[in-house]
Amino acid sequence: ETGVTQSPTHLIKTRGQQVTLRCSSQSGHNTVSWYQQALGQGPQFIFQYYREEENGRGNFPPRFSGLQFPNYSSELNVNALELDDSALYLCASRDGKNIQYFGAGTRLSVL
Amino acid sequence: TQLLEQSPQFLSIQEGENLTVYCNSSSVFSSLQWYRQEPGEGPVLLVTVVTGGEVKKLKRLTFQFGDARKDSSLHITAAQPGDTGLYLCNQGAQKLVFGQGTRLTINP
Protein backbone atom coordinates (compact mmCIF):
# COMPACT_ATOMS: atom_id res chain seq x y z
CA GLU A 1 0.00 0.00 0.00
CA THR A 2 1.71 3.16 -1.25
CA GLY A 3 -0.97 5.65 -0.26
CA VAL A 4 -1.30 6.80 -3.88
CA THR A 5 -4.61 6.02 -5.56
CA GLN A 6 -5.51 6.44 -9.20
CA SER A 7 -8.85 6.45 -10.94
CA PRO A 8 -10.27 4.98 -13.00
CA THR A 9 -8.38 1.69 -13.14
CA HIS A 10 -9.37 1.04 -16.74
CA LEU A 11 -10.72 3.32 -19.46
CA ILE A 12 -11.66 2.89 -23.10
CA LYS A 13 -11.80 5.88 -25.42
CA THR A 14 -11.95 6.45 -29.15
CA ARG A 15 -9.48 8.34 -31.27
CA GLY A 16 -9.95 12.12 -31.10
CA GLN A 17 -11.62 12.12 -27.69
CA GLN A 18 -10.30 13.76 -24.53
CA VAL A 19 -9.56 12.00 -21.25
CA THR A 20 -8.88 13.03 -17.64
CA LEU A 21 -7.05 10.71 -15.29
CA ARG A 22 -6.94 11.35 -11.55
CA CYS A 23 -4.45 10.72 -8.78
CA SER A 24 -4.65 11.19 -5.03
CA SER A 25 -1.32 11.48 -3.24
CA GLN A 26 -0.28 11.15 0.37
CA SER A 27 -0.75 14.19 2.55
CA GLY A 28 2.43 16.26 2.66
CA HIS A 29 3.80 14.98 -0.66
CA ASN A 30 4.14 18.23 -2.58
CA THR A 31 5.61 16.73 -5.75
CA VAL A 32 3.69 14.53 -8.14
CA SER A 33 4.93 13.05 -11.40
CA TRP A 34 3.09 11.34 -14.23
CA TYR A 35 4.46 8.56 -16.43
CA GLN A 36 3.31 6.69 -19.50
CA GLN A 37 4.16 3.01 -19.69
CA ALA A 38 3.58 1.25 -22.99
CA LEU A 39 3.18 -2.50 -22.98
CA GLY A 40 6.51 -4.21 -22.39
CA GLN A 41 8.38 -0.95 -21.76
CA GLY A 42 9.61 1.02 -18.80
CA PRO A 43 7.73 4.13 -17.66
CA GLN A 44 8.36 7.33 -19.63
CA PHE A 45 8.32 10.65 -17.74
CA ILE A 46 5.52 12.97 -18.87
CA PHE A 47 5.75 15.88 -16.40
CA GLN A 48 6.09 16.82 -12.78
CA TYR A 49 4.23 19.28 -10.56
CA TYR A 50 5.43 20.92 -7.38
CA ARG A 51 3.00 22.97 -5.31
CA GLU A 52 0.58 23.29 -8.22
CA GLU A 53 3.19 24.45 -10.76
CA GLU A 54 4.68 22.35 -13.55
CA ASN A 55 8.43 22.18 -12.94
CA GLY A 56 9.60 19.59 -15.42
CA ARG A 57 8.42 17.97 -18.62
CA GLY A 58 9.45 15.01 -20.72
CA ASN A 59 9.21 14.59 -24.48
CA PHE A 60 5.41 14.72 -24.75
CA PRO A 61 3.32 17.10 -26.90
CA PRO A 62 1.23 19.94 -25.44
CA ARG A 63 -1.97 17.91 -25.74
CA PHE A 64 -0.73 16.22 -22.55
CA SER A 65 -1.45 18.62 -19.72
CA GLY A 66 -1.89 18.45 -15.99
CA LEU A 67 -3.13 20.08 -12.85
CA GLN A 68 -2.21 19.73 -9.21
CA PHE A 69 -4.54 20.83 -6.42
CA PRO A 70 -3.90 21.97 -2.84
CA ASN A 71 -5.52 18.81 -1.46
CA TYR A 72 -2.67 16.63 -2.90
CA SER A 73 -4.75 15.42 -5.82
CA SER A 74 -3.76 15.85 -9.44
CA GLU A 75 -5.00 15.27 -12.96
CA LEU A 76 -3.54 14.25 -16.28
CA ASN A 77 -5.48 15.47 -19.31
CA VAL A 78 -4.92 14.21 -22.81
CA ASN A 79 -6.63 15.87 -25.76
CA ALA A 80 -7.16 14.55 -29.28
CA LEU A 81 -6.38 10.98 -28.31
CA GLU A 82 -4.33 8.87 -30.69
CA LEU A 83 -4.06 5.11 -30.92
CA ASP A 84 -0.47 5.27 -29.62
CA ASP A 85 -1.71 6.88 -26.41
CA SER A 86 -2.90 3.44 -25.32
CA ALA A 87 -0.80 2.66 -22.26
CA LEU A 88 -0.67 2.39 -18.49
CA TYR A 89 -0.52 5.86 -16.93
CA LEU A 90 1.21 6.04 -13.56
CA CYS A 91 1.37 8.83 -11.05
CA ALA A 92 3.93 9.00 -8.28
CA SER A 93 4.24 11.28 -5.28
CA ARG A 94 7.49 12.12 -3.58
CA ASP A 95 8.19 12.22 0.16
CA GLY A 96 10.67 14.33 2.09
CA LYS A 97 13.39 11.71 1.53
CA ASN A 98 12.94 12.01 -2.25
CA ILE A 99 11.42 8.55 -2.53
CA GLN A 100 8.66 8.17 -5.12
CA TYR A 101 5.54 6.16 -4.36
CA PHE A 102 3.60 4.94 -7.35
CA GLY A 103 -0.09 4.29 -7.77
CA ALA A 104 -1.33 1.15 -9.50
CA GLY A 105 -2.02 3.11 -12.68
CA THR A 106 -4.85 3.70 -15.11
CA ARG A 107 -4.88 1.49 -18.18
CA LEU A 108 -6.11 3.54 -21.13
CA SER A 109 -7.16 1.89 -24.37
CA VAL A 110 -7.75 4.08 -27.42
CA LEU A 111 -9.76 2.45 -30.20
CA THR B 1 18.74 12.72 -21.35
CA GLN B 2 20.56 9.81 -19.81
CA LEU B 3 19.69 6.51 -21.50
CA LEU B 4 19.61 3.33 -19.49
CA GLU B 5 20.01 -0.12 -20.99
CA GLN B 6 18.85 -3.16 -19.11
CA SER B 7 19.72 -6.73 -19.94
CA PRO B 8 18.48 -9.25 -20.52
CA GLN B 9 15.09 -7.95 -21.61
CA PHE B 10 13.44 -11.28 -20.75
CA LEU B 11 14.56 -14.05 -18.41
CA SER B 12 12.72 -17.24 -17.53
CA ILE B 13 14.31 -19.66 -15.07
CA GLN B 14 13.38 -22.44 -12.68
CA GLU B 15 12.74 -21.97 -9.01
CA GLY B 16 15.93 -22.31 -6.99
CA GLU B 17 18.29 -21.03 -9.68
CA ASN B 18 20.42 -17.91 -9.37
CA LEU B 19 20.32 -14.99 -11.78
CA THR B 20 21.84 -11.60 -12.47
CA VAL B 21 20.35 -8.68 -14.38
CA TYR B 22 22.17 -5.56 -15.46
CA CYS B 23 21.63 -1.83 -15.87
CA ASN B 24 24.12 0.20 -17.91
CA SER B 25 24.56 3.80 -18.99
CA SER B 26 27.12 5.75 -20.97
CA SER B 27 26.90 8.52 -18.38
CA VAL B 28 27.68 8.60 -14.69
CA PHE B 29 24.77 8.08 -12.32
CA SER B 30 24.40 10.46 -9.39
CA SER B 31 22.46 7.65 -7.78
CA LEU B 32 20.59 4.61 -9.02
CA GLN B 33 17.39 2.98 -7.91
CA TRP B 34 15.98 -0.47 -8.57
CA TYR B 35 12.24 -1.05 -8.67
CA ARG B 36 10.08 -4.14 -9.09
CA GLN B 37 6.72 -3.91 -10.81
CA GLU B 38 4.19 -6.71 -10.58
CA PRO B 39 1.27 -7.10 -12.99
CA GLY B 40 -1.49 -4.60 -12.27
CA GLU B 41 0.66 -2.56 -9.92
CA GLY B 42 2.96 0.43 -10.06
CA PRO B 43 6.73 0.09 -9.52
CA VAL B 44 7.87 -0.38 -5.93
CA LEU B 45 11.28 0.86 -4.81
CA LEU B 46 13.68 -1.92 -3.77
CA VAL B 47 16.92 -0.04 -3.14
CA THR B 48 18.89 3.14 -3.80
CA VAL B 49 22.65 3.01 -4.36
CA VAL B 50 24.75 6.14 -4.26
CA THR B 51 28.43 5.32 -3.78
CA GLY B 52 30.62 3.68 -6.45
CA GLY B 53 31.33 0.06 -5.51
CA GLU B 54 28.45 0.00 -3.04
CA VAL B 55 26.81 -3.36 -2.34
CA LYS B 56 23.41 -3.65 -0.69
CA LYS B 57 21.57 -6.79 0.27
CA LEU B 58 17.82 -7.24 0.64
CA LYS B 59 17.21 -10.84 1.72
CA ARG B 60 18.08 -12.93 -1.36
CA LEU B 61 18.67 -9.86 -3.54
CA THR B 62 22.14 -8.32 -3.86
CA PHE B 63 22.54 -4.95 -5.56
CA GLN B 64 25.91 -3.68 -6.73
CA PHE B 65 26.84 -0.24 -8.02
CA GLY B 66 29.81 -0.13 -10.38
CA ASP B 67 32.98 1.62 -9.26
CA ALA B 68 32.58 4.22 -12.02
CA ARG B 69 28.87 4.65 -11.21
CA LYS B 70 27.88 3.84 -14.81
CA ASP B 71 26.43 0.40 -14.21
CA SER B 72 24.65 -1.70 -11.67
CA SER B 73 23.66 -5.32 -11.21
CA LEU B 74 20.97 -7.16 -9.32
CA HIS B 75 21.69 -10.74 -8.30
CA ILE B 76 18.96 -13.02 -6.97
CA THR B 77 19.91 -16.18 -5.12
CA ALA B 78 17.62 -19.21 -5.07
CA ALA B 79 14.87 -17.49 -7.05
CA GLN B 80 11.28 -18.05 -6.00
CA PRO B 81 8.01 -17.62 -7.95
CA GLY B 82 7.31 -14.53 -5.87
CA ASP B 83 10.32 -12.85 -7.50
CA THR B 84 8.46 -12.79 -10.81
CA GLY B 85 8.00 -9.27 -12.13
CA LEU B 86 9.44 -6.42 -14.17
CA TYR B 87 12.70 -5.13 -12.70
CA LEU B 88 13.42 -1.51 -13.53
CA CYS B 89 16.44 0.66 -12.90
CA ASN B 90 16.58 4.45 -13.02
CA GLN B 91 18.97 7.26 -12.30
CA GLY B 92 17.09 8.36 -9.24
CA ALA B 93 17.04 12.09 -9.91
CA GLN B 94 14.07 14.42 -9.84
CA LYS B 95 12.71 13.22 -13.16
CA LEU B 96 13.07 9.50 -13.09
CA VAL B 97 14.47 8.04 -16.30
CA PHE B 98 13.79 4.33 -16.48
CA GLY B 99 15.35 1.55 -18.45
CA GLN B 100 13.02 -0.68 -20.44
CA GLY B 101 13.21 -3.28 -17.70
CA THR B 102 13.96 -6.97 -17.35
CA ARG B 103 10.88 -9.15 -17.29
CA LEU B 104 11.68 -12.03 -14.96
CA THR B 105 9.62 -15.20 -14.74
CA ILE B 106 10.37 -17.84 -12.11
CA ASN B 107 8.80 -21.18 -12.94
CA PRO B 108 7.81 -23.51 -10.05
Side-chain angles (χ1 to χ4, degrees):
Chain A
E1 179 59 50
T2 65
V4 179
T5 57
Q6 292 187 243
S7 62
T9 54
H10 296 85
L11 195 55
I12 299 175
K13 290 284 189 178
T14 57
R15 193 170 47 184
Q17 286 189 310
Q18 178 268 343
V19 68
T20 297
L21 310 182
R22 294 181 172 84
C23 174
S24 177
S25 307
Q26 291 189 42
S27 177
H29 289 194
N30 294 314
T31 302
V32 65
S33 303
W34 284 89
Y35 298 84
Q36 180 194 68
Q37 186 175 23
L39 200 61
Q41 300 295 318
Q44 298 295 313
F45 174 73
I46 302 175
F47 46 56
Q48 177 174 281
Y49 278 77
Y50 175 71
R51 297 193 174 189
E52 303 164 50
E53 296 284 335
E54 182 180 305
N55 74 339
R57 191 175 184 92
N59 189 27
F60 281 81
R63 59 189 184 85
F64 286 78
S65 63
L67 288 171
Q68 186 186 25
F69 303 101
N71 65 351
Y72 303 105
S73 66
S74 62
E75 292 180 353
L76 164 65
N77 299 288
V78 187
N79 294 323
L81 284 167
E82 301 176 0
L83 297 179
D84 286 348
D85 295 333
S86 295
L88 179 68
Y89 288 86
L90 297 163
C91 84
S93 69
R94 190 188 304 273
D95 69 6
K97 296 181 180 178
N98 217 31
I99 295 175
Q100 294 216 2
Y101 298 88
F102 284 85
T106 292
R107 184 159 298 283
L108 173 65
S109 298
V110 182
L111 306 178
Chain B
T1 301
Q2 187 170 32
L3 296 178
L4 304 178
E5 293 187 4
Q6 291 190 244
S7 61
Q9 190 172 354
F10 299 96
L11 184 59
S12 179
I13 64 172
Q14 295 300 118
E15 181 177 0
E17 294 184 351
N18 302 330
L19 66 106
T20 303
V21 299
Y22 301 91
C23 175
N24 295 287
S25 172
S26 57
S27 304
V28 174
F29 295 105
S30 56
S31 64
L32 186 139
Q33 297 178 331
W34 284 93
Y35 286 77
R36 179 171 64 214
Q37 184 177 21
E38 299 184 17
E41 301 292 332
V44 175
L45 179 66
L46 295 174
V47 76
T48 301
V49 286
V50 178
T51 306
E54 183 176 5
V55 176
K56 284 191 173 179
K57 290 194 173 184
L58 184 65
K59 298 183 180 178
R60 294 175 293 100
L61 278 59
T62 301
F63 303 85
Q64 185 158 7
F65 202 15
D67 291 340
R69 302 195 348 254
K70 288 186 172 183
D71 58 271
S72 180
S73 63
L74 160 57
H75 182 79
I76 300 179
T77 304
Q80 298 178 1
D83 296 326
T84 293
L86 179 67
Y87 287 80
L88 297 159
C89 68
N90 71 74
Q91 36 77 300
Q94 290 286 323
K95 305 160 196 175
L96 294 182
V97 174
F98 285 93
Q100 82 278 18
T102 292
R103 189 163 298 279
L104 175 64
T105 302
I106 310 300
N107 302 302

